Amino acid sequence: MFYRTADVEGALPAVDIAYNDAPWAGWVHLVRQALNTTVSLPDDQLLLVRDLTGRSFRPREPAPGIIPRIGAVLIALYPDGADLRLLLTVRSNQVASHRGEVSLPGGATDPDDAGPVATALRECAEELGIAPDSVTVLGTLTPVYIPPSNFCITPVVGLLDARPHLTINHDEVDRVITATLRELFDPATVVMERWTLHGHEVLVPFFVIDGYKVWGATALILSELVARMQHARIAYNAEAS
């Protein structure tokens, strides 16, 4: 399931010429290709909560008659040696939902936000103090519906020039953890456990990052990014051969 046969060391294509002086340039190229390529991903390439038969247990859309709240999150990437690293937040115990869980910086769309990109950048600034104009937006991923909080969120992918100085809003964020894209590509980072959720026995896949179980919507979003990058790598290798 998922990318158990991933070849991490073979994941990087030739470096984009615009970034050929940076050791992390191949990752940027691969992310751009992944976001600019239309591909239909089967469920078995995503980290989805499943029932014991292996079928997805996660509603992909709200029930009829239910209008979800709209929001966005930011996958904020920044250079770290030969890798790109991303920021994850551990939610505080003061927020309304998903307390103590690992998430991406983000939140609800305000009436003045000009779309999901504006929401993601504004919320990241409010939670972590990252200036919106310091982020180069690379693209977006598939919107994700979150049943417990009735949110439909759009994941936005952005690039920072360097590791950001963070000003954490502790009303919303308990702490920040990080992971490299290389770590997300590593099958050893993914674990599956049997949990009881809402009275049902289910199989829950998650990333293990800094001792935390990164599951649910956040795992789904990150697994989509990885799966798209895998497809982009395969397409690149096919064209180059």
Side-chain angles (χ1 to χ4, degrees), residues 70-72 74 105-132 172:
I70 303 301
L74 181 66
T109 296
D110 282 353
D112 294 335
D113 289 343
V117 169
T119 297
L121 295 179
R122 176 185 54 75
E123 284 285 339
C124 188
E126 292 176 3
E127 292 183 11
L128 302 180
I130 296 176
E172 299 184 45

Side-chain angles (χ1 to χ4, degrees), residues 48-49 56-63 66-69 97-98 101 143-153 197-198 215-218 220:
L48 286 163
V49 176
S56 174
F57 186 73
R58 182 187 188 90
R60 305 300 283 268
E61 297 178 351
I66 301 297
I67 300 175
R69 295 184 290 172
S97 59
H98 307 289
E101 294 183 9
V144 173
Y145 178 60
I146 306 176
S149 53
N150 191 35
F151 259 107
C152 185
I153 58 172
L197 290 178
H198 312 296
W215 69 289
T218 304
L220 173 57

